[in-house]
Amino acid sequence: MDGFERGVVTRISVEIEYPDGSVEITEISDPGHVSAVVFDESAVIATDLCAFNVSESDWRANPAMMVHTDAGAAGIPLGAHNDRRN
């Protein structure tokens, strides 16, 4: 056997509750290429902090998470209330 066999993640759904009480369910596209999902500021890499901590005065601009598709690459902010599609 070459390497370890394991299950493959085919879908990542996240339910986000915003400070105003509204709720959104979002899908992370192409989960096979996701290397990390970061929810806490303490785990956000320094170069991504400006995209994670966007506004102290408007929570709607701040994403709920950062998604990384390659180790060390810039994260993709997801879940900002301003980005809602519905």
Side-chain angles (χ1 to χ4, degrees):
M1 176 186 344
D2 294 329
F4 296 94
E5 291 186 83
R6 64 188 80 245
V8 175
V9 176
T10 59
R11 184 172 77 178
I12 301 173
S13 295
V14 180
E15 183 175 281
I16 302 165
E17 182 177 347
Y18 294 103
D20 67 355
S22 62
V23 175
E24 174 185 20
I25 297 174
T26 190
E27 298 271 331
I28 296 176
S29 60
D30 206 3
H33 292 287
V34 172
S35 60
V37 179
V38 179
F39 300 104
D40 189 85
E41 179 181 350
S42 66
V44 174
I45 59 175
T47 55
D48 286 344
L49 280 173
C50 62
F52 191 72
N53 293 329
V54 177
S55 176
E56 285 187 42
S57 61
D58 184 7
W59 60 266
R60 291 166 186 83
N62 299 316
M65 66 194 111
M66 297 295 286
V67 177
H68 292 268
T69 56
D70 295 308
I76 302 163
L78 288 178
H81 197 272
N82 289 342
D83 294 338
R84 293 176 69 181
R85 296 177 212 51
N86 38 346

